[in-house]
Amino acid sequence: MPNVPSQNWGLEQIVAELRASREELHRTRHPRGIRELPSREAVTNIVTGLRAALFPTHYGAPDLTDETVDYYVGHTLESTLRLLAEQIRRALRFLPEFADTPDADLKERAFNVAREFGTQLPGIRALLVSDIQAAFTGDPAAQHITEILLCYPGVWAMTHHRLAHALHRLGVPLLARFINEIAHSATGIDIHPGATIGPSFFIDHGTGVVIGETAIIGERVRLYQAVTLGAKSFAADLDGTLVKGNARHPIVEDDVVIYAGATILGRVTIGRGSVIGGNVWLTHSVPPGSSVSQGKIREGERTDEGRQ
Amino acid sequence: MPNVPSQNWGLEQIVAELRASREELHRTRHPRGIRELPSREAVTNIVTGLRAALFPTHYGAPDLTDETVDYYVGHTLESTLRLLAEQIRRALRFLPEFADTPDADLKERAFNVAREFGTQLPGIRALLVSDIQAAFTGDPAAQHITEILLCYPGVWAMTHHRLAHALHRLGVPLLARFINEIAHSATGIDIHPGATIGPSFFIDHGTGVVIGETAIIGERVRLYQAVTLGAKSFAADLDGTLVKGNARHPIVEDDVVIYAGATILGRVTIGRGSVIGGNVWLTHSVPPGSSVSQGKIREGERTDEGRQ
Amino acid sequence: MPNVPSQNWGLEQIVAELRASREELHRTRHPRGIRELPSREAVTNIVTGLRAALFPTHYGAPDLTDETVDYYVGHTLESTLRLLAEQIRRALRFLPEFADTPDADLKERAFNVAREFGTQLPGIRALLVSDIQAAFTGDPAAQHITEILLCYPGVWAMTHHRLAHALHRLGVPLLARFINEIAHSATGIDIHPGATIGPSFFIDHGTGVVIGETAIIGERVRLYQAVTLGAKSFAADLDGTLVKGNARHPIVEDDVVIYAGATILGRVTIGRGSVIGGNVWLTHSVPPGSSVSQGKIREGERTDEGRQ
Amino acid sequence: MPNVPSQNWGLEQIVAELRASREELHRTRHPRGIRELPSREAVTNIVTGLRAALFPTHYGAPDLTDETVDYYVGHTLESTLRLLAEQIRRALRFLPEFADTPDADLKERAFNVAREFGTQLPGIRALLVSDIQAAFTGDPAAQHITEILLCYPGVWAMTHHRLAHALHRLGVPLLARFINEIAHSATGIDIHPGATIGPSFFIDHGTGVVIGETAIIGERVRLYQAVTLGAKSFAADLDGTLVKGNARHPIVEDDVVIYAGATILGRVTIGRGSVIGGNVWLTHSVPPGSSVSQGKIREGERTDEGRQ
Amino acid sequence: MPNVPSQNWGLEQIVAELRASREELHRTRHPRGIRELPSREAVTNIVTGLRAALFPTHYGAPDLTDETVDYYVGHTLESTLRLLAEQIRRALRFLPEFADTPDADLKERAFNVAREFGTQLPGIRALLVSDIQAAFTGDPAAQHITEILLCYPGVWAMTHHRLAHALHRLGVPLLARFINEIAHSATGIDIHPGATIGPSFFIDHGTGVVIGETAIIGERVRLYQAVTLGAKSFAADLDGTLVKGNARHPIVEDDVVIYAGATILGRVTIGRGSVIGGNVWLTHSVPPGSSVSQGKIREGERTDEGRQ
Amino acid sequence: MPNVPSQNWGLEQIVAELRASREELHRTRHPRGIRELPSREAVTNIVTGLRAALFPTHYGAPDLTDETVDYYVGHTLESTLRLLAEQIRRALRFLPEFADTPDADLKERAFNVAREFGTQLPGIRALLVSDIQAAFTGDPAAQHITEILLCYPGVWAMTHHRLAHALHRLGVPLLARFINEIAHSATGIDIHPGATIGPSFFIDHGTGVVIGETAIIGERVRLYQAVTLGAKSFAADLDGTLVKGNARHPIVEDDVVIYAGATILGRVTIGRGSVIGGNVWLTHSVPPGSSVSQGKIREGERTDEGRQ
């Protein structure tokens, strides 16, 4: 006979148990029956669209000319901001203060946030240009701007971060985290969207870098792979609940270089112009101009250990 | 003339040399002429389908309602398990014990494995829910379950691991490894599918985490980025052949926390409730309640170094 | 009323400011108005095509037989080399020496480079086969060649590297970097295309590995995750400009094993057969047969710390 | 020089003229600023989804079994009806009576129409099964039901028509026309969604068939290619405006056969059991049992001219 | 409140009714539980692949050269014939004589049919080249072969027909019909795969052409749009069952031209070199050299009415 | 044994015979080794892009507003005209006068043709708007402009024709034919791009309409399905070669209506305001105001036979 009797998966049972699991055991439903989540595909398209609008000749359509580039930028912006407004609307609903906002009001608020975000794009572009130039001047291997825009994961990650940080400040933390996580997956660089990072920032190689939520980084700072700017410990309430949002990550002042694998924990300050050597473990502040290397602090003496 | 004479790639020579390389130099053919390999695209679709069946409101179709969710789950399960059975069939052929099994028998066995796997899904879901809750209670930055499901690489990796581990136990190691490697590529977290991990497990940031094949991890354990649970050395036979499968990775008991960059090697036991500090290098067991930090062991005293 | 008056994004202003940013602030245009950049999609397709031509039964079309495999390899090579020639043409334009080359000449040069590259493929395949066998013999967990080809990120990264290195040597550094960066994103392994790596090279796990541009690695070398072969410091001219291209990364001789997290910096030599322990920080040469572990050098004694 | 100065398309002028054309010459804007039109892609997906739900083993997913088919049908229905409701909402806005309906009310109405449409699907399926059986019994060439479902354009067109007719009756004429036109493009058969067609209807070959809006067709009627059931003339008001919606197309009673190329115009009645020969031009009614052939009426005598 | 209570589609009822319709009313299941139907997408890909293998420079990959074209043709053939064998296997199952054939035997038979079909491809190509040349010499508007290959629906339809006819003769009528219907949908030309058509056949415009199953067409015949070569009447058994397969369509001898809209019915013979005028209705044979025009037969006199 | 010995397709033989067929029997190569043919996909995208630029609110992006529509139109035009220039370049190479033109010159000429074509778009839009309005005023069933733009095959075909006609006049006949044929396949309406058609032209239903190359159609003409405006006979040279390009199709003056199935052949003139009845066969001119119906000419009397 050509056909075996069709075998049975026992689907009815599995479906029922999964339903029970959803209903009884651990409910992971959204608050108040929200069904529209931010979409990873949409967020990816938004970042792609914004990147194209910011750097049309590198990430936009091929063969753009002076005659055509503004049409491209304008159209790309419009379709991207519209996508963004929709994702903002979905993300806002997760904030307690908007849980009961009427749909129309939330939609309008999302539009306004997206619109405000749009006006910040030229400023974000200026910051990113400073990051690109930092890579160019800081890395002797860099041949030209194009190589940096196409091949540097640090620049890729910073593009996501600067966009995510703007959304974070505009009150859309969920979307900002989503953007950060997409970059983390692509580059191995995990920057919390809340971190404040000055211009001309450069991360080389980057895999394993972690920068915490309340970190503050000055201008012209350079980081290598596997650097952690983390928290040392968590403050807890009397009942053991962790206190949220307090400043718990390092402040890194201008012109600091931190080599590969260094770990800096807590609300310490790395003084302007310091050099932190590779694999250093640091949980206290150091004054400006310090040079810290494994096992000792040699202030005033500068090395470049850990550089690739 | 509009067209230059077409240039020649010398293809015939290259094709012949590649054929010679395949045939003479180092044959990388499959055993016994097997031609159907597990497909990365299929395996990716399987994980996507299972994730959607387990958490339909987060990873499934938009706008599912109480009326429709079971149709969705049932149909998704069916098409995914069918895909899975086919990939299992291909993977089983690589096991020596199935090298000569008739096709029809192998197909039936693959069906039975997939069917058994299906019945384990509700249990896997319960474990994953415990992991999600561990992230929620363990990370003060987590706002809600949705953020964790969308943005936490550790949860992403554990979804792959718990599915892969079930397949590993059901005797399909190749497919399990494949699933693990897809998660590794996306998250930088490399968990061998053989590792045994208890409920409420949480990995934060995660890039660079490596967990070995025979590691055993208890309940409510928390790990940070770049933690290694590895082997210290390999046992070898008299003739130098490495002994396979013996227990060579750490046992981590319940309620242990291991901070970023810590390396624990060998079949050592980290006692219940211990805290292992950041960057610690540990090759011996520590009793319950230990607190280990760089360069010293301070038992009984607990810190939170290395937390982000 | 069904439709609210359409709101305004203020696009004209944003577009104008972005144009001003492009024109005045920081120009990131390509040199001399070049508009055709190497395309990430094309480069990804090229690597996919070459991988399929090199290992048709694993990465090529399903069900290839002895009758059909050469047709497949020949056709895949042709279409891939054609794609490659076009991307080489685009990349060459960024080199100063080709900035003013007429289009037709550049096209011909690109064809010749691609053609020469094609002839090297059988040799590249032989090297990759040696890498695969190194993984098979070096890792007791590896069950068969297929598992290694499908699931080992180190093999994935080396496939990119060996192709990228050949292009680097043929004078197309931008394309080589692009290929390297695609592998870096997928595996967390960052190997500069300039690095010289002998046969039978194996990287296990791999996340966080960094290998610098002038590193030289012998035969049968094995590396684990998070190993850095970096530069210790940069030579600078009198005016502070960094000197480019000088030898600044380690030489690793044959049969060396370097365990997870070890950092080796500068133009030092790791003598043949040495074993470098996990997390070791090393900035000087060690003689053949050395065994270096954290905090001490125990020559002659060999351990396997850091192995997974 | 490698790059010619970029040439100019004169876009600004064209864009301005097109804008002027839109604004001044002939405005083809939607009424009242409506911006959401029914989408061809969505309508195509809706018909595909409905066809799959009606005949899951032929048009649905492969390998459906008794265990799984209802999950498939249920899920497909849900996602398709949701798509349909959205397209109905867009189409309703074009009706004058809904031009000012608030969005929420229109959305609810669209849902209700889609829901009502859903309940009619089993009845539509019964009609389509009768059509398929008519093809099977009426065409000696037909081998089995599968051939008819896969290869008969008449069945394809009738699937569209029966769905479109239901929507037409439910008050969504624009969507109904859209569905009809998609079938017209694929088959060359143009049936107005308003036409009333009884069960067991069969069109063979079909190219060029036109059936007008007010045509009424009985049971077991058979048509061949290029048959027109059209209007003879239009009634006009005193001011020359054509009167809409009056009965102006033929009534074809049960068991009539109309051979290829016949043209029947006006509100005439083709009596039960009549046979209309190929290429006949008919503008008056014929009694039951008539046999009409080119140039003559031979009542009572039956031939089969024009059959293929 | 942000979310309305979710409305209900009444799915359970619809699904149940559709199930009842499938089970009770009119079962349109495949014979003996066959679940694998020929796939439209696969059949389309097969025709595309065969067309590319036959005319690689027009329908194949761009930029094929003398060096590469055979690799392309060989690889395309292999993957296409493999697809074809699978579709043949599915189609054969529908034939009564193969209803109970074991799967492995059917698979082998399908392979053999596909293999035999492959050997006929050079002959089919020769016929198609004669058709293309007939278009070129017969149509003064044709500028070059390329125009004919790209823009002539008659050539498109004949490509399908000649492939379908070969499959029909090899005993796979369902697949042949499927291929025919795909061409019918694209061109409006409906040629039954059973029809026998000599070389150098040309159909201009083509919409509405119908050629029946037992038609026999000689060499160098030319047809215009809306020509029907049909059956006049069906022979029936005593019990009214139509007799299948008997010769009931016209024989058209060499060098005949039939202008637009002509209808020729029954097993009549159109003698060599005859010209049938536009819209002519013909149900009897005409001798060689006839010239038939509307309403009269003017033998010996030749016109070209109906030509475009 | 799990695997049968792999069977053989006999590919080498088929490939060799196909090569022989290409080389010896009937060479269908392009003139002078041209390898780049116009691409159907590209031409389809061009028409889609032009349609979107002409009617952005119907065929363009959703949700365009007054602020954004010009960005969309400008960008769409640019990318479409660039695509068009490339296809024009390929098509021009087929013209004898450009067979030997240097590539760069041909590229420039193609650019200039595309640029000139761009400037004609506003005029083409005005003609299409007149066609849409003719459908709206001429068809009592038409509810609004949107229905016409979405559902009328005649408008679809005329969009292609008016674009193709402009290209035909600009000297790119191959591309024009290609565009025409794409519309023919979708609608069954076959209009030669050379035909000259005045404003406010309307074709209803349309399947089977054929309009020849030298036809001239005035303003406000209306046609129904299966109307042919063809050639009566071909002028031939003494040696039998058909004379090309002479006027051989009808002239249809303003305000003429031609009902379904009418065939008008030769360089005859249908006088202004005439009505040609359904299925009429006409090979001579008729004066203005004629009313022709089947079998008779009733001048001055006007009917509407054949209308749907």
Side-chain angles (χ1 to χ4, degrees), chain C residues 77-97:
Chain C
L77 272 180
E78 186 274 332
S79 60
T80 304
L81 291 176
R82 191 148 41 79
L83 263 183
L84 177 63
E86 165 63 14
Q87 299 300 312
I88 289 172
R89 186 185 66 73
R90 296 183 182 193
L92 287 179
R93 181 64 81 199
F94 286 88
L95 296 176
E97 62 264 41

Side-chain angles (χ1 to χ4, degrees), chain A:
Chain A
M1 289 297 293
N3 286 287
V4 294
S6 79
Q7 290 172 288
N8 205 293
W9 295 104
L11 280 184
E12 201 170 332
Q13 170 94 358
I14 307 174
V15 169
E17 286 180 31
L18 287 175
R19 172 188 278 269
S21 171
R22 288 199 306 273
E23 286 176 353
E24 296 157 30
L25 187 55
H26 301 285
R27 183 168 271 267
T28 61
R29 288 284 292 276
H30 332 302
R32 293 152 215 256
I34 296 167
R35 289 200 211 89
E36 294 171 299
L37 283 83
S39 142
R40 172 174 285 260
E41 187 187 357
V43 173
T44 302
N45 289 342
I46 287 165
V47 175
T48 302
L50 293 172
R51 197 187 290 117
L54 293 177
F55 298 100
T57 47
H58 280 87
Y59 298 127
D63 287 312
L64 292 172
T65 62
D66 283 348
E67 184 193 11
T68 60
V69 67
D70 281 358
Y71 288 120
Y72 176 78
V73 170
H75 175 56
T76 302
L77 273 180
E78 186 274 333
S79 61
T80 305
L81 291 176
R82 192 147 41 79
L83 264 184
L84 177 63
E86 166 62 13
Q87 299 299 314
I88 289 173
R89 186 184 66 71
R90 296 183 181 193
L92 287 178
R93 181 64 81 198
F94 285 88
L95 295 176
E97 62 264 42
F98 298 118
D100 297 318
T101 306
D103 278 339
D105 294 0
L106 201 65
K107 199 166 180 177
E108 189 181 346
R109 181 177 190 90
F111 175 84
N112 288 334
V113 171
R115 194 186 191 290
E116 171 59 25
F117 177 82
T119 65
Q120 299 185 9
L121 288 171
I124 290 173
R125 186 180 193 277
L127 284 170
L128 287 170
V129 169
S130 78
D131 297 335
I132 293 162
Q133 290 183 321
F136 189 65
T137 57
D139 183 357
Q143 307 273 348
H144 33 66
I145 294 298
T146 294
E147 183 189 359
I148 291 167
L149 276 160
L150 294 183
C151 305
Y152 275 59
V155 168
W156 192 262
M158 282 308 292
T159 305
H160 284 74
H161 173 70
R162 297 212 183 273
L163 296 168
H165 184 61
L167 284 170
H168 184 86
R169 290 170 56 96
L170 286 166
V172 204
L174 178 57
L175 220 54
R177 272 299 308 272
F178 214 161
I179 290 174
N180 151 71
E181 195 46 41
I182 290 169
H184 183 196
S185 178
T187 64
I189 298 171
D190 186 358
I191 308 176
H192 194 284
T196 303
I197 302 180
S200 303
F201 182 66
F202 176 44
I203 302 174
D204 205 1
H205 307 297
T207 310
V209 165
V210 176
I211 299 176
E213 179 179 7
T214 63
I216 298 173
I217 297 177
E219 305 191 8
R220 294 172 302 282
V221 169
R222 215 159 75 217
L223 254 59
Y224 291 86
Q225 71 269 24
V227 163
T228 293
L229 302 180
K232 189 175 175 188
S233 66
F234 299 122
D237 289 340
L238 292 181
D239 64 351
T241 309
L242 297 173
V243 176
K244 293 195 182 199
N246 64 326
R248 61 194 186 277
H249 300 99
I251 295 170
V252 178
E253 295 184 346
D254 296 349
D255 299 301
V256 167
V257 180
I258 308 176
Y259 286 111
T263 303
I264 305 175
L265 303 178
R267 190 53 155 192
V268 301
T269 297
I270 308 301
R272 152 189 299 261
S274 295
V275 175
I276 310 299
N279 278 21
V280 159
W281 176 268
L282 196 60
T283 58
H284 58 268
S285 296
V286 298
S290 301
S291 177
V292 183
S293 65
Q294 228 191 9
K296 59 188 176 290
I297 300 183
R298 291 171 300 175
E299 295 180 18
E301 179 195 347
R302 178 161 183 164
T303 70
D304 283 306
E305 293 183 335
R307 202 39 235 274
Q308 276 67 45

Side-chain angles (χ1 to χ4, degrees), chain D residues 177 180-181 184 187-192 206 208-212, chain F residues 153 204-207:
Chain D
R177 273 299 309 272
N180 151 74
E181 193 48 39
H184 182 196
T187 65
I189 299 170
D190 185 359
I191 309 176
H192 193 284
V209 164
V210 177
I211 300 176
Chain F
D204 205 2
H205 307 296
T207 310

Side-chain angles (χ1 to χ4, degrees), chain C residues 26-291:
Chain C
H26 301 284
R27 183 168 272 264
T28 61
R29 286 284 293 273
H30 330 300
R32 291 152 217 258
I34 296 167
R35 288 201 212 89
E36 294 171 297
L37 284 83
S39 142
R40 170 174 287 258
E41 188 187 355
V43 173
T44 301
N45 289 342
I46 287 165
V47 175
T48 302
L50 293 172
R51 196 187 290 120
L54 294 176
F55 299 100
T57 48
H58 279 89
Y59 298 127
D63 287 310
L64 292 172
T65 63
D66 283 349
E67 184 192 13
T68 60
V69 66
D70 280 358
Y71 288 119
Y72 176 79
V73 170
H75 175 57
T76 302
L77 272 180
E78 186 274 332
S79 60
T80 304
L81 291 176
R82 191 148 41 79
L83 263 183
L84 177 63
E86 165 63 14
Q87 299 300 312
I88 289 172
R89 186 185 66 73
R90 296 183 182 193
L92 287 179
R93 181 64 81 199
F94 286 88
L95 296 176
E97 62 264 41
F98 298 120
D100 296 317
T101 307
D103 278 339
D105 294 1
L106 200 66
K107 200 167 180 175
E108 189 182 346
R109 183 178 189 88
F111 175 84
N112 288 333
V113 171
R115 194 185 190 291
E116 170 59 25
F117 177 82
T119 66
Q120 299 185 11
L121 286 173
I124 290 173
R125 186 180 191 279
L127 284 170
L128 286 170
V129 169
S130 78
D131 296 335
I132 293 162
Q133 289 181 322
F136 188 65
T137 57
D139 183 357
Q143 307 274 349
H144 34 65
I145 295 299
T146 295
E147 183 190 357
I148 291 166
L149 276 160
L150 295 183
C151 305
Y152 275 59
V155 168
W156 192 261
M158 283 308 293
T159 306
H160 283 75
H161 174 71
R162 298 213 182 272
L163 296 168
H165 184 63
L167 285 170
H168 184 87
R169 289 171 57 97
L170 287 165
V172 203
L174 178 57
L175 220 54
R177 273 299 309 271
F178 213 161
I179 290 174
N180 151 72
E181 194 45 41
I182 290 170
H184 182 196
S185 177
T187 65
I189 298 170
D190 185 359
I191 309 175
H192 194 284
T196 303
I197 303 180
S200 303
F201 182 65
F202 176 45
I203 302 174
D204 204 1
H205 308 295
T207 310
V209 164
V210 176
I211 300 176
E213 179 179 8
T214 64
I216 298 174
I217 297 176
E219 305 192 7
R220 293 171 303 283
V221 169
R222 214 160 75 219
L223 254 59
Y224 291 85
Q225 70 269 25
V227 164
T228 292
L229 303 179
K232 188 175 175 187
S233 65
F234 298 121
D237 289 339
L238 292 181
D239 64 351
T241 307
L242 296 172
V243 177
K244 293 197 184 199
N246 65 327
R248 62 195 186 276
H249 301 99
I251 295 170
V252 178
E253 295 185 347
D254 297 350
D255 300 302
V256 167
V257 180
I258 308 176
Y259 286 110
T263 301
I264 306 176
L265 303 179
R267 191 51 157 193
V268 300
T269 297
I270 308 300
R272 152 190 298 263
S274 294
V275 175
I276 309 301
N279 277 23
V280 159
W281 176 267
L282 196 60
T283 58
H284 58 270
S285 296
V286 298
S290 301
S291 177

